Amino acid sequence: MTAEETAVTIEITNVRHPKGTLRLGVFRANNTFGSTYTKPDFGQMVAVTGKGATRTVMNLPPGRYALALYHDMNDNWKLDKNFVGYPKEPFGFSNNYHPIFSGPGFEDCAFEVKAHEPSYLKIKLLN
């Protein structure tokens, strides 16, 4: 962690399958959040070893961000979807945004990281 980074603790709940990897992507405001082909500004992987909840810490510089994650249960490095495009694997967003007809926009999931003020996010996996 550098002097300008702040610890963000992320608790992921509703983990139902004790296998695979949680893949987290953190996007800055100027990135195209929600696009299938956009790469996150920061990423992290967390091995899943049990059901329930898990925590991880990411060190981020101050700013506004949105977080998207999915549980890659078969470790194929992609979010598997059904024939209409809805995820077959568990997923989640910061602010616990729950999509109904389409994915979220940046503002739906935006959170603030302030210098030297540790942050805490709790995200419930959907699906």
Side-chain angles (χ1 to χ4, degrees):
M1 181 162 82
T2 65
E4 56 275 345
E5 291 181 327
T6 299
V8 179
T9 301
I10 303 159
E11 181 178 4
I12 301 145
T13 64
N14 201 32
V15 178
R16 296 186 203 174
H17 307 280
K19 61 181 180 177
T21 305
L22 293 167
R23 302 193 190 280
L24 291 77
V26 177
F27 299 80
R28 287 188 166 118
N30 60 352
N31 199 337
T32 311
F33 179 74
S35 171
T36 304
Y37 303 105
T38 302
K39 297 217 183 282
D41 294 293
F42 304 93
Q44 191 160 319
M45 296 180 290
V46 179
V48 176
T49 57
K51 296 180 181 181
T54 189
R55 285 186 185 182
T56 189
V57 176
M58 294 183 79
N59 298 313
L60 300 171
R64 282 177 55 78
Y65 299 99
L67 184 144
L69 71 98
Y70 70 99
H71 183 173
D72 188 0
M73 295 188 306
N74 56 7
D75 278 328
N76 66 351
W77 287 83
K78 66 178 186 176
L79 176 62
D80 296 327
K81 298 178 181 178
N82 65 17
F83 69 97
V84 295
Y86 195 80
K88 291 173 25 177
E89 294 178 302
F91 63 96
F93 300 101
S94 45
N95 296 336
N96 283 310
Y97 180 83
H98 191 286
I100 297 176
F101 296 111
S102 65
F106 182 86
E107 290 302 319
D108 297 319
C109 302
F111 64 95
E112 187 82 25
V113 173
K114 296 180 181 176
H116 311 294
E117 289 185 28
S119 298
Y120 175 82
L121 299 174
K122 186 172 183 178
I123 301 172
K124 181 179 178 182
L125 287 176
L126 303 171
N127 193 352

